Amino acid sequence: MGFILNIETATKNCSVSLSKNGDTVSLKEYAGQGYTHAEKLHVFIDEVFKEAGLAYSDLSAVAVSKGPGSYTGLRIGVSAAKGLCYALNIPLIAIDTLELLARKISVNDGVIIPMIDARRMEVYSAIYTSDYRQLRATQAEVITESSFTETTGKIHLVGDGALKCKELLFDSRFIYHDDVIYPSTAQMAELSYLKYKISDTVDVAYFEPYYLKDFIAGK
């Protein structure tokens, strides 16, 4: 049986789930004002196992959100995932964070642009079709009044990065999904299971999160 532990810590949402053959069995998550991943992640991992009545030895793989997103959040999630994979000798699966965010909404037409806040007016974003095929690769970009002028039709904006766009992108073709702020492992179960079935895994020793930008330490 394909039991997979899914971990998402790329944003303020600390999200953990257990899934079986692509279906979520147990889910725990919390999105506070600050980053509480160091305190909550391992607690949530223990809780989903207890809720599902499973042991760590029941796992077939661990899936982790690979970024882009918070440097600290990503390192916490990836470190936990690597530790479990190494100890249990099971594969590690990496899932694109922006695709998870895009999959939180279902639309019939137009494109979906998931956005993660990268501070000031910069966001991490990508562009997906309504059936979640990626049209434009992930990039860091500064939002201006001319952003996405080359994109036609309805544009569905999701994520905490989308909230900063409202004062600049107010044309009727921009549709804001204000209730969708952070990615979640609720959308990871199907993706991680599909990757598991085709052995689309990453090297536990050498895998690094997709930071997109170089880390700059604050004073």
Side-chain angles (χ1 to χ4, degrees):
M1 290 184 288
F3 285 111
I4 298 175
L5 177 69
N6 303 287
I7 297 172
E8 160 58 58
T9 56
T11 66
K12 290 182 179 179
N13 189 30
C14 182
S15 181
V16 177
S17 70
L18 270 172
S19 58
K20 176 184 177 183
N21 299 335
D23 295 318
T24 300
V25 175
S26 179
L27 170 68
K28 298 289 180 183
E29 59 185 359
Y30 174 77
Q33 290 302 311
Y35 287 88
T36 59
H37 306 339
E39 294 83 9
K40 295 187 177 297
L41 178 58
H42 290 282
V43 174
F44 285 174
I45 292 173
D46 285 338
E47 287 180 352
V48 294
F49 274 99
K50 289 176 181 177
E51 188 173 278
L54 297 174
Y56 285 86
S57 57
D58 293 316
L59 282 182
S60 297
V62 177
V64 67
S65 178
K66 71 177 183 179
S70 159
Y71 296 103
T72 303
L74 286 168
R75 292 207 73 84
I76 290 172
V78 169
S79 294
K82 282 187 169 187
L84 287 167
C85 288
Y86 182 79
L88 298 168
N89 194 28
I90 55 177
L92 176 63
I93 298 167
I95 305 293
D96 188 283
T97 305
L98 287 170
E99 182 175 355
L100 288 178
L101 187 54
R103 286 176 175 270
K104 293 201 73 170
I105 65 170
S106 177
V107 299
N108 295 320
D109 58 354
V111 298
I112 303 170
I113 303 182
M115 294 180 171
I116 294 175
D117 187 358
R119 299 184 179 180
R120 299 183 180 86
M121 288 305 293
E122 190 172 24
V123 298
Y124 302 126
S125 69
I127 301 178
Y128 293 86
T129 64
S130 59
D131 59 352
Y132 313 116
R133 290 181 294 107
Q134 192 174 50
L135 291 176
R136 197 209 70 193
T138 298
Q139 65 183 44
E141 59 185 317
V142 176
I143 299 300
T144 68
E145 293 178 349
S146 60
S147 293
F148 310 115
T149 53
E150 75 286 355
T151 304
T152 59
K154 292 181 180 179
I155 300 175
H156 299 269
L157 302 177
V158 300
D160 61 349
L163 300 179
K164 63 176 64 175
C165 298
K166 284 189 171 183
E167 295 182 3
L168 295 175
L169 306 178
F170 44 79
D171 187 275
S172 59
R173 66 198 181 104
F174 292 104
I175 302 170
Y176 291 89
H177 296 260
D178 292 350
D179 57 330
V180 179
I181 307 298
Y182 303 119
S184 167
T185 55
Q187 283 70 47
M188 198 184 285
E190 180 180 0
L191 293 174
S192 60
Y193 183 58
L194 289 174
K195 282 178 172 284
Y196 172 71
K197 287 198 298 182
I198 62 173
S199 298
D200 184 359
T201 61
V202 295
D203 190 290
V204 174
Y206 295 103
F207 173 72
E208 289 289 336
Y210 181 40
Y211 294 122
L212 195 59
K213 296 195 302 180
D214 291 333
F215 175 70
I216 301 175
K219 292 183 180 179

PDB file of all heavy atoms in Angstrom, residues 161-179:
ATOM      1  N   GLY A 161       0.826  36.413  -2.198  1.00  0.00           N
ATOM      2  CA  GLY A 161       1.430  37.379  -3.103  1.00  0.00           C
ATOM      3  C   GLY A 161       0.396  38.104  -3.954  1.00  0.00           C
ATOM      4  O   GLY A 161       0.616  39.247  -4.365  1.00  0.00           O
ATOM      5  N   ALA A 162      -0.731  37.455  -4.206  1.00  0.00           N
ATOM      6  CA  ALA A 162      -1.781  38.079  -5.017  1.00  0.00           C
ATOM      7  C   ALA A 162      -2.448  39.241  -4.291  1.00  0.00           C
ATOM      8  O   ALA A 162      -2.962  40.168  -4.928  1.00  0.00           O
ATOM      9  CB  ALA A 162      -2.825  37.031  -5.403  1.00  0.00           C
ATOM     10  N   LEU A 163      -2.435  39.214  -2.974  1.00  0.00           N
ATOM     11  CA  LEU A 163      -3.103  40.260  -2.202  1.00  0.00           C
ATOM     12  C   LEU A 163      -2.490  41.628  -2.463  1.00  0.00           C
ATOM     13  O   LEU A 163      -3.179  42.650  -2.395  1.00  0.00           O
ATOM     14  CB  LEU A 163      -3.038  39.926  -0.705  1.00  0.00           C
ATOM     15  CG  LEU A 163      -3.692  38.613  -0.283  1.00  0.00           C
ATOM     16  CD1 LEU A 163      -3.528  38.399   1.217  1.00  0.00           C
ATOM     17  CD2 LEU A 163      -5.162  38.585  -0.667  1.00  0.00           C
ATOM     18  N   LYS A 164      -1.194  41.686  -2.755  1.00  0.00           N
ATOM     19  CA  LYS A 164      -0.517  42.967  -2.969  1.00  0.00           C
ATOM     20  C   LYS A 164      -0.748  43.514  -4.380  1.00  0.00           C
ATOM     21  O   LYS A 164      -0.304  44.614  -4.695  1.00  0.00           O
ATOM     22  CB  LYS A 164       0.982  42.837  -2.693  1.00  0.00           C
ATOM     23  CG  LYS A 164       1.700  41.885  -3.606  1.00  0.00           C
ATOM     24  CD  LYS A 164       3.209  41.880  -3.342  1.00  0.00           C
ATOM     25  CE  LYS A 164       3.541  41.387  -1.973  1.00  0.00           C
ATOM     26  NZ  LYS A 164       4.995  41.271  -1.731  1.00  0.00           N
ATOM     27  N   CYS A 165      -1.434  42.740  -5.217  1.00  0.00           N
ATOM     28  CA  CYS A 165      -1.648  43.153  -6.603  1.00  0.00           C
ATOM     29  C   CYS A 165      -2.904  44.013  -6.792  1.00  0.00           C
ATOM     30  O   CYS A 165      -3.064  44.660  -7.825  1.00  0.00           O
ATOM     31  CB  CYS A 165      -1.780  41.933  -7.510  1.00  0.00           C
ATOM     32  SG  CYS A 165      -0.326  40.876  -7.558  1.00  0.00           S
ATOM     33  N   LYS A 166      -3.785  44.016  -5.820  1.00  0.00           N
ATOM     34  CA  LYS A 166      -5.101  44.628  -6.008  1.00  0.00           C
ATOM     35  C   LYS A 166      -5.047  46.111  -6.354  1.00  0.00           C
ATOM     36  O   LYS A 166      -5.903  46.615  -7.083  1.00  0.00           O
ATOM     37  CB  LYS A 166      -5.948  44.410  -4.762  1.00  0.00           C
ATOM     38  CG  LYS A 166      -6.485  43.000  -4.638  1.00  0.00           C
ATOM     39  CD  LYS A 166      -7.494  42.893  -3.525  1.00  0.00           C
ATOM     40  CE  LYS A 166      -8.181  41.555  -3.563  1.00  0.00           C
ATOM     41  NZ  LYS A 166      -9.238  41.445  -2.527  1.00  0.00           N
ATOM     42  N   GLU A 167      -4.079  46.834  -5.830  1.00  0.00           N
ATOM     43  CA  GLU A 167      -4.000  48.266  -6.092  1.00  0.00           C
ATOM     44  C   GLU A 167      -3.426  48.585  -7.462  1.00  0.00           C
ATOM     45  O   GLU A 167      -3.547  49.714  -7.948  1.00  0.00           O
ATOM     46  CB  GLU A 167      -3.155  48.945  -5.011  1.00  0.00           C
ATOM     47  CG  GLU A 167      -3.773  48.886  -3.617  1.00  0.00           C
ATOM     48  CD  GLU A 167      -2.927  49.604  -2.591  1.00  0.00           C
ATOM     49  OE1 GLU A 167      -1.888  50.189  -2.988  1.00  0.00           O
ATOM     50  OE2 GLU A 167      -3.283  49.589  -1.405  1.00  0.00           O
ATOM     51  N   LEU A 168      -2.812  47.600  -8.096  1.00  0.00           N
ATOM     52  CA  LEU A 168      -2.189  47.821  -9.395  1.00  0.00           C
ATOM     53  C   LEU A 168      -2.887  47.087 -10.532  1.00  0.00           C
ATOM     54  O   LEU A 168      -2.942  47.580 -11.659  1.00  0.00           O
ATOM     55  CB  LEU A 168      -0.721  47.387  -9.351  1.00  0.00           C
ATOM     56  CG  LEU A 168       0.210  48.186  -8.436  1.00  0.00           C
ATOM     57  CD1 LEU A 168       1.590  47.548  -8.407  1.00  0.00           C
ATOM     58  CD2 LEU A 168       0.310  49.632  -8.894  1.00  0.00           C
ATOM     59  N   LEU A 169      -3.408  45.902 -10.248  1.00  0.00           N
ATOM     60  CA  LEU A 169      -4.047  45.072 -11.271  1.00  0.00           C
ATOM     61  C   LEU A 169      -5.536  44.964 -10.957  1.00  0.00           C
ATOM     62  O   LEU A 169      -5.970  44.047 -10.263  1.00  0.00           O
ATOM     63  CB  LEU A 169      -3.388  43.695 -11.309  1.00  0.00           C
ATOM     64  CG  LEU A 169      -1.864  43.673 -11.482  1.00  0.00           C
ATOM     65  CD1 LEU A 169      -1.331  42.246 -11.446  1.00  0.00           C
ATOM     66  CD2 LEU A 169      -1.450  44.367 -12.782  1.00  0.00           C
ATOM     67  N   PHE A 170      -6.298  45.928 -11.461  1.00  0.00           N
ATOM     68  CA  PHE A 170      -7.725  45.967 -11.120  1.00  0.00           C
ATOM     69  C   PHE A 170      -8.639  45.845 -12.335  1.00  0.00           C
ATOM     70  O   PHE A 170      -9.841  46.064 -12.249  1.00  0.00           O
ATOM     71  CB  PHE A 170      -8.060  47.249 -10.348  1.00  0.00           C
ATOM     72  CG  PHE A 170      -7.442  48.496 -10.903  1.00  0.00           C
ATOM     73  CD1 PHE A 170      -8.005  49.121 -12.002  1.00  0.00           C
ATOM     74  CD2 PHE A 170      -6.305  49.027 -10.340  1.00  0.00           C
ATOM     75  CE1 PHE A 170      -7.444  50.272 -12.528  1.00  0.00           C
ATOM     76  CE2 PHE A 170      -5.732  50.181 -10.853  1.00  0.00           C
ATOM     77  CZ  PHE A 170      -6.295  50.806 -11.957  1.00  0.00           C
ATOM     78  N   ASP A 171      -8.063  45.511 -13.494  1.00  0.00           N
ATOM     79  CA  ASP A 171      -8.873  45.249 -14.676  1.00  0.00           C
ATOM     80  C   ASP A 171      -9.813  44.073 -14.394  1.00  0.00           C
ATOM     81  O   ASP A 171      -9.499  43.174 -13.614  1.00  0.00           O
ATOM     82  CB  ASP A 171      -7.951  44.929 -15.856  1.00  0.00           C
ATOM     83  CG  ASP A 171      -8.712  44.801 -17.167  1.00  0.00           C
ATOM     84  OD1 ASP A 171      -9.214  43.699 -17.437  1.00  0.00           O
ATOM     85  OD2 ASP A 171      -8.796  45.798 -17.899  1.00  0.00           O
ATOM     86  N   SER A 172     -10.957  44.049 -15.057  1.00  0.00           N
ATOM     87  CA  SER A 172     -11.978  43.030 -14.790  1.00  0.00           C
ATOM     88  C   SER A 172     -11.506  41.619 -15.127  1.00  0.00           C
ATOM     89  O   SER A 172     -12.090  40.643 -14.647  1.00  0.00           O
ATOM     90  CB  SER A 172     -13.251  43.339 -15.578  1.00  0.00           C
ATOM     91  OG  SER A 172     -12.987  43.370 -16.974  1.00  0.00           O
ATOM     92  N   ARG A 173     -10.453  41.499 -15.929  1.00  0.00           N
ATOM     93  CA  ARG A 173      -9.984  40.151 -16.264  1.00  0.00           C
ATOM     94  C   ARG A 173      -9.224  39.505 -15.119  1.00  0.00           C
ATOM     95  O   ARG A 173      -9.017  38.291 -15.114  1.00  0.00           O
ATOM     96  CB  ARG A 173      -9.119  40.165 -17.520  1.00  0.00           C
ATOM     97  CG  ARG A 173      -7.811  40.908 -17.394  1.00  0.00           C
ATOM     98  CD  ARG A 173      -7.239  41.245 -18.758  1.00  0.00           C
ATOM     99  NE  ARG A 173      -5.958  41.931 -18.633  1.00  0.00           N
ATOM    100  CZ  ARG A 173      -4.784  41.340 -18.856  1.00  0.00           C
ATOM    101  NH1 ARG A 173      -4.747  40.068 -19.200  1.00  0.00           N
ATOM    102  NH2 ARG A 173      -3.667  42.024 -18.739  1.00  0.00           N
ATOM    103  N   PHE A 174      -8.808  40.310 -14.136  1.00  0.00           N
ATOM    104  CA  PHE A 174      -8.132  39.765 -12.961  1.00  0.00           C
ATOM    105  C   PHE A 174      -9.171  39.347 -11.922  1.00  0.00           C
ATOM    106  O   PHE A 174      -9.965  40.163 -11.455  1.00  0.00           O
ATOM    107  CB  PHE A 174      -7.175  40.792 -12.360  1.00  0.00           C
ATOM    108  CG  PHE A 174      -5.991  41.092 -13.227  1.00  0.00           C
ATOM    109  CD1 PHE A 174      -5.930  42.277 -13.953  1.00  0.00           C
ATOM    110  CD2 PHE A 174      -4.941  40.185 -13.329  1.00  0.00           C
ATOM    111  CE1 PHE A 174      -4.837  42.551 -14.763  1.00  0.00           C
ATOM    112  CE2 PHE A 174      -3.847  40.462 -14.138  1.00  0.00           C
ATOM    113  CZ  PHE A 174      -3.796  41.644 -14.865  1.00  0.00           C
ATOM    114  N   ILE A 175      -9.155  38.073 -11.568  1.00  0.00           N
ATOM    115  CA  ILE A 175     -10.108  37.526 -10.592  1.00  0.00           C
ATOM    116  C   ILE A 175      -9.323  37.087  -9.366  1.00  0.00           C
ATOM    117  O   ILE A 175      -8.452  36.215  -9.452  1.00  0.00           O
ATOM    118  CB  ILE A 175     -10.887  36.342 -11.192  1.00  0.00           C
ATOM    119  CG1 ILE A 175     -11.635  36.789 -12.463  1.00  0.00           C
ATOM    120  CG2 ILE A 175     -11.866  35.764 -10.160  1.00  0.00           C
ATOM    121  CD1 ILE A 175     -12.228  35.643 -13.243  1.00  0.00           C
ATOM    122  N   TYR A 176      -9.632  37.697  -8.241  1.00  0.00           N
ATOM    123  CA  TYR A 176      -8.907  37.412  -7.003  1.00  0.00           C
ATOM    124  C   TYR A 176      -9.642  36.376  -6.165  1.00  0.00           C
ATOM    125  O   TYR A 176     -10.828  36.531  -5.876  1.00  0.00           O
ATOM    126  CB  TYR A 176      -8.714  38.697  -6.194  1.00  0.00           C
ATOM    127  CG  TYR A 176      -7.751  39.665  -6.839  1.00  0.00           C
ATOM    128  CD1 TYR A 176      -8.208  40.623  -7.747  1.00  0.00           C
ATOM    129  CD2 TYR A 176      -6.393  39.608  -6.565  1.00  0.00           C
ATOM    130  CE1 TYR A 176      -7.324  41.507  -8.356  1.00  0.00           C
ATOM    131  CE2 TYR A 176      -5.499  40.494  -7.163  1.00  0.00           C
ATOM    132  CZ  TYR A 176      -5.971  41.430  -8.062  1.00  0.00           C
ATOM    133  OH  TYR A 176      -5.094  42.300  -8.657  1.00  0.00           O
ATOM    134  N   HIS A 177      -8.920  35.349  -5.787  1.00  0.00           N
ATOM    135  CA  HIS A 177      -9.475  34.307  -4.909  1.00  0.00           C
ATOM    136  C   HIS A 177      -8.895  34.554  -3.518  1.00  0.00           C
ATOM    137  O   HIS A 177      -7.903  33.937  -3.106  1.00  0.00           O
ATOM    138  CB  HIS A 177      -9.120  32.927  -5.445  1.00  0.00           C
ATOM    139  CG  HIS A 177      -9.730  32.627  -6.784  1.00  0.00           C
ATOM    140  ND1 HIS A 177     -10.869  31.864  -6.938  1.00  0.00           N
ATOM    141  CD2 HIS A 177      -9.372  33.025  -8.043  1.00  0.00           C
ATOM    142  CE1 HIS A 177     -11.177  31.773  -8.223  1.00  0.00           C
ATOM    143  NE2 HIS A 177     -10.286  32.478  -8.906  1.00  0.00           N
ATOM    144  N   ASP A 178      -9.536  35.478  -2.799  1.00  0.00           N
ATOM    145  CA  ASP A 178      -8.983  35.940  -1.524  1.00  0.00           C
ATOM    146  C   ASP A 178      -8.950  34.875  -0.445  1.00  0.00           C
ATOM    147  O   ASP A 178      -8.224  34.999   0.541  1.00  0.00           O
ATOM    148  CB  ASP A 178      -9.790  37.140  -1.010  1.00  0.00           C
ATOM    149  CG  ASP A 178      -9.608  38.367  -1.892  1.00  0.00           C
ATOM    150  OD1 ASP A 178      -8.726  38.331  -2.766  1.00  0.00           O
ATOM    151  OD2 ASP A 178     -10.348  39.346  -1.725  1.00  0.00           O
ATOM    152  N   ASP A 179      -9.768  33.826  -0.598  1.00  0.00           N
ATOM    153  CA  ASP A 179      -9.807  32.780   0.419  1.00  0.00           C
ATOM    154  C   ASP A 179      -8.666  31.777   0.252  1.00  0.00           C
ATOM    155  O   ASP A 179      -8.469  30.908   1.109  1.00  0.00           O
ATOM    156  CB  ASP A 179     -11.146  32.041   0.377  1.00  0.00           C
ATOM    157  CG  ASP A 179     -11.445  31.443  -0.990  1.00  0.00           C
ATOM    158  OD1 ASP A 179     -10.995  32.022  -2.006  1.00  0.00           O
ATOM    159  OD2 ASP A 179     -12.140  30.411  -1.045  1.00  0.00           O
TER     160      ASP A 179
END
